[in-house]
Amino acid sequence: MSNLLDNIVWHTLLGPHARYAEGLGAVRRYAAGFPPFAAFADVGNPDLATLARYVAAGEQIYCDGWAAPAPSGWCIESESELQKMVWNTATPTADTTLETILLGPQHQSAILDLAALTSPGPFTVGSLALGDYLGVFDGPRLLAMGGGRLCADGYREISGVCTHPAYQGQGMAKKLVSVLLHRHAQQHEKSFLRVMRANEAAFRLYVNMGFQHYGTSVARVISRY
């Protein structure tokens, strides 16, 4: 498990999401329209020279796992501590009080509105092609959403979990995560997630739910100039 989750973006782009990727040799990234993640075969020694062929000047790219200074031609826009967590306990009963629907392109406007309000990490409408995302609606308004993005060798990420500011504090995110855990278990997938340590509320929620800390890495937003 350790090698897989240490470099899960690479394993995802090389495997299940290869059709959504571009790159060469030891470098892969999601193509335009998808979340701008990049990954490297050797996470500690990224081949940024090759990545530069696939990144426009000024474009922001997300990556994690390396902490060395950026080489010439690259700028580190931000740097954060990324917590990696796995679900190793019994699958919770799906919360039947939460009515969820499978999100699709027809919900694009509502999805982008919620993402703009809550900033749930790198998210585009293209994310919907990478895994199932569920939403909770009140009429046309999307109150909460979450789903699965990165995946490899039986592991499935829980990602993009967010709740409209006017509906926070009602336990909706916890219920939604329990539904996703149940869904992954039914599909014989093991759930994991990645959360910025600075997001104390989310980190505390996942710990209290029973997610176990697996590891920590440096997450960076970089750009080429």
Side-chain angles (χ1 to χ4, degrees):
M1 179 184 70
S2 59
N3 290 338
L4 179 73
L5 294 185
D6 282 341
N7 200 5
I8 187 63
V9 181
W10 171 258
H11 291 291
T12 300
L13 289 171
L14 206 64
H17 291 174
R19 63 189 181 277
Y20 306 124
E22 56 185 18
L24 181 69
V27 174
R28 294 293 186 278
R29 64 157 294 178
Y30 278 109
F34 296 97
F37 285 106
F40 310 93
D42 185 350
V43 68
N45 296 286
D47 182 358
L48 293 174
T50 298
L51 178 62
R53 304 182 194 178
Y54 303 95
V55 177
E59 181 184 6
Q60 294 191 337
I61 298 292
Y62 293 76
C63 57
D64 80 277
W66 60 282
S72 177
W74 291 89
C75 174
I76 299 173
E77 302 283 353
S78 67
E79 184 174 287
S80 308
E81 183 180 289
L82 185 68
Q83 299 285 335
K84 301 175 183 181
M85 310 180 79
V86 294
W87 183 265
N88 284 325
T89 57
T91 303
T93 302
D95 194 314
T96 57
T97 66
L98 194 69
E99 184 177 347
T100 63
I101 67 170
L102 185 65
L103 296 175
Q106 69 272 26
H107 304 116
Q108 175 174 333
S109 179
I111 291 169
L112 294 180
D113 286 347
L114 182 59
L117 281 172
T118 58
S119 301
F123 189 91
T124 69
V125 173
S127 298
L128 300 180
L130 306 180
D132 290 345
Y133 280 80
L134 305 179
V136 181
F137 281 87
D138 180 11
R141 175 183 282 185
L142 181 59
L143 308 185
M145 70 175 180
R149 180 178 52 203
L150 302 175
C151 56
D153 291 348
Y155 282 89
R156 171 70 65 174
E157 181 187 30
I158 291 177
S159 70
V161 178
C162 56
T163 304
H164 191 287
Y167 294 84
Q168 292 176 0
Q170 300 180 22
M172 200 173 297
K174 181 178 180 180
K175 292 178 180 180
L176 186 54
V177 171
S178 75
V179 171
L180 291 168
L181 286 168
H182 186 78
R183 188 180 183 91
H184 292 174
Q186 285 186 316
Q187 296 169 344
H188 306 290
E189 294 178 313
K190 303 172 186 178
S191 302
F192 74 97
L193 56 83
R194 311 186 311 158
V195 59
M196 294 300 181
R197 187 63 181 87
N199 190 345
E200 182 62 34
F203 180 73
R204 187 167 58 249
L205 167 67
Y206 298 136
V207 169
N208 290 341
M209 285 190 69
F211 281 91
Q212 297 177 5
H213 180 260
Y214 159 69
T216 303
S217 65
V218 174
R220 284 175 165 174
V221 178
I222 61 175
S223 63
R224 183 176 69 82
Y225 58 84

